Each structure stands twice: as C-alpha cells, then as structure tokens.
C-alpha cells in the first residue's frame, strides 16, 4: 500500500485528482471505476476544473461502484443523478459509456451479475476510485462481506442508512438494499485509489491500513492489492500508528518510488 498523507483535505483532493489525471494522460481510453459519497464531490469538482483546463474524458469508459435497489436513474437520491450532476454533465465523456447498476431492475441479482460481466467485457478497470464508510465499507460492501465477493445485492447497515439519510427527503426512506461491486470485483482493478478526509474516517482508515485483514473491515482487503494508493488528509490519518514512516517514505504525500 502506498499511504500518502497530505496536510489538508484540499491538498488530499488535489493529489487524488492529479493521480486520476495521470492515468487518463497515460491511457486516454482508460476504464475508470467511480465512487459516490460526500468525499468524492470535491474530487469531481477538481476533475471538472482539470477538464476545463484541457483534460479530456472523451475516450473514457466508466463503471460506478454501486446503486440503491429500488431507485430509478432519475430519482434525485440515486447515484445516477449524483454522477450526472457532479461530473458527467460537465465533461466530454460519452454518456453511452458511463455505467451504473440499474437500481430499478426487475431482478436486481441478475442485474448485478450482468454488471460484473459488462466490466469484464470492457477489459476490466484501470483505476478504481474509492471512498470509505465509517464502518470500513468500500462500495456498499458492509462489514462481514466476503472478501471474495462479486457484484451482488447487499443489505445496508443501519449506520450506513443513517449516514446517507441527508441525501433523501423526508418523504423518502433510505433504501435497505444496494447493488454493489464486490470486494473481489474491486480487487480486480489494476489500480485502486482510495481517498479519505476528516477525523470521522480515522478509525476506519487505521483498520484498513494497519488492522488485520478481516471481513469486519472490508477495506482491509486492499492490503492484498498489489497497487493500492491511499490518499489521506492529516485528520483521516490521525489514528495510524506508523504515521512517521508514511511521512518518511512519501514526504508531504509525494508519490514517488523509494529508489
Ligand atoms: C457511501 C458509498 C461509498 C462511500 C461511502 C462514504 O455509502 N456507497 O462508496 O465511499 O459511503 O461516503 P462519504 O464520502 O459521504 O463519507
């Protein structure tokens, strides 16, 4: 794992955006795995600014991590709407190549399997962007998810439903289920880039990086990944035991190889 610690959330977001841009410059037809959640909003704002400055997404194919079961693509709290308004409508990506699971599919399990097949047919994911839940989830792989899981339907924990309640109006209840890429689906990406900011993520981040490999913290599965880059601000890094070492290897979050 490459652990990059930046002083501020703004610097962490800028680092994650520049690593994403680097991937696109090296491979304009890259397949990007995309994430949602509050953490990603400033990252997408930064990518929009990079696009305005000339970065092209015209050749990119994208696959989002997850979607709520029961929400159609125009539901205001759906990740379809989130992605259109945070990113897709502002860049030159081809909407036909932007993939999210259909939350309103008649058979969500079949949709999950078909989604996994679509990722494989696109040649797999080059760069998977990830956030982390306060309970250590990635995508919607809640604690005790199989570390070998494919894309499937997961039952959300009450804590995850509570964390996402602000995105829903009073009239809407937060869905109880989601279609999510599995832990194995995520691990199959050629590069994983996880961004975490803020003190409320510190415990989950410590469990992911320094805790045991355990289904109780699905993000700890990234310990198995040969190329996982974790970008943190100081607050999200604050519970790590080996902070001095990470600063020593990557001063100010510098992304370089040691020799
Ligand atoms: C959500 C998403 C995850 C996201 C996480 C953290 O439930 N399914 O992909 O990483 O929770 O969200 P936030 O960045 O808002 O804390």
């Amino acid at each position: 794992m490459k652990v990059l610690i930046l002083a501020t959330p703004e610097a962490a977001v800028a680092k994650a955006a520049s690593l994403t841009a680097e991937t696109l410059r090296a491979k304009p037809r890259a397949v990007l795995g995309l994430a949602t959640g509050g953490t990603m909003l400033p990252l997408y704002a930064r990518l929009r600014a990079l696009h305005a400055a000339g970065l092209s997404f015209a050749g990119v194919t994208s696959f989002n991590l997850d979607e709520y079961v029961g929400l159609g693509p125009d539901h205001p709290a759906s990740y379809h709407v989130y992605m259109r308004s945070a990113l897709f409508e502002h860049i030159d990506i081809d909407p036909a190549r932007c993939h999210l699971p259909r939350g309103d599919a008649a058979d969500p399990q079949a949709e999950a399997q078909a989604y996994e097949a679509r990722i494989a047919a696109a040649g797999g994911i080059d760069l998977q962007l990830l956030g982390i839940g306060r309970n250590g989830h990635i995508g919607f792989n809640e604690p005790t998810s199989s570390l070998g899981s494919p894309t499937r339907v997961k039952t959300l924990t009450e804590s995850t439903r509570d964390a996402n309640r602000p995105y829903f109006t009073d009239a809407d209840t937060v869905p109880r289920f989601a279609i999510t890429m599995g832990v194995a689906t995520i691990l199959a990406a050629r590069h994983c880039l996880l961004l975490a900011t803020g003190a409320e993520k510190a415990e989950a981040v410590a469990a992911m990086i320094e805790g045991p490999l355990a289904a109780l913290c699905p993000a700890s599965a990234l310990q198995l990944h040969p190329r996982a880059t974790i970008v943190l601000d100081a607050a999200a890094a604050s519970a790590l035991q080996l902070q001095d070492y990470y600063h020593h290897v990557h001063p100010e979050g510098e992304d370089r190889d040691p020799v």
Side-chain angles (χ1 to χ4, degrees):
M1 269 183 176
K2 206 179 255 191
V3 181
L4 310 180
I5 304 174
L6 287 299
T8 63
E10 293 77 19
V13 165
K15 172 63 68 180
S18 77
L19 292 172
T20 307
E22 226 170 76
T23 299
L24 297 189
R25 289 193 191 102
K27 188 174 181 184
R29 298 188 64 78
V31 179
L32 285 186
L34 299 175
T36 50
T39 310
M40 294 294 136
L41 289 172
L43 173 58
Y44 293 144
R46 192 90 190 186
L47 290 177
R48 297 197 308 260
L50 287 171
H51 170 65
L55 180 70
S56 177
F57 292 77
V60 168
T61 297
S62 72
F63 288 93
N64 264 80
L65 282 165
D66 46 18
E67 180 59 286
Y68 293 103
V69 168
L71 303 196
D74 294 319
H75 189 288
S78 71
Y79 287 159
H80 281 76
V81 167
Y82 170 108
M83 287 309 304
R84 291 203 295 271
S85 71
L87 188 65
F88 298 155
E89 282 171 356
H90 310 278
I91 59 174
D92 59 346
I93 198 165
D94 177 356
R97 282 208 293 268
C98 297
H99 305 276
L100 291 96
R102 284 289 296 239
D104 58 347
D107 181 345
Q109 288 290 5
E111 168 66 4
Q113 282 171 23
Y115 195 70
E116 183 92 17
R118 284 204 287 280
I119 296 170
I125 290 169
D126 291 301
L127 176 67
Q128 177 66 58
L129 301 182
L130 295 164
I132 185 169
R134 276 170 258 183
N135 62 6
H137 73 229
I138 45 176
F140 269 133
N141 293 285
E142 297 283 33
T144 71
S145 286
S146 160
L147 301 186
S149 49
T151 303
R152 71 220 181 287
V153 174
K154 278 298 291 181
T155 304
L156 302 178
T157 62
E158 285 308 302
S159 71
T160 295
R161 293 181 72 215
D162 283 345
N164 287 294
R165 213 168 297 280
Y167 298 101
F168 289 79
T169 61
D170 290 345
D172 273 315
T173 51
V174 185
R176 297 179 54 227
F177 305 98
I179 296 173
T180 181
M181 281 189 203
V183 178
T185 320
I186 292 167
L187 292 182
R190 288 180 273 281
H191 183 190
C192 286
L193 172 57
L194 186 144
L195 172 66
T197 52
E200 68 279 9
K201 299 294 173 66
E203 292 303 323
V205 164
M208 162 177 67
I209 297 172
E210 295 176 340
L213 173 65
L216 203 52
C217 177
S220 69
L222 293 173
Q223 294 174 19
L224 292 170
H225 198 287
R227 195 170 173 216
T229 304
I230 314 297
V231 179
L232 306 171
D233 70 347
S238 60
L240 290 167
Q241 287 178 42
L242 301 187
Q243 278 177 68
D244 289 351
Y245 177 64
Y246 310 131
H247 282 298
H248 173 63
V249 181
H250 299 290
E252 288 163 33
E254 209 176 274
D255 180 26
R256 60 172 165 81
D257 292 324
V259 283

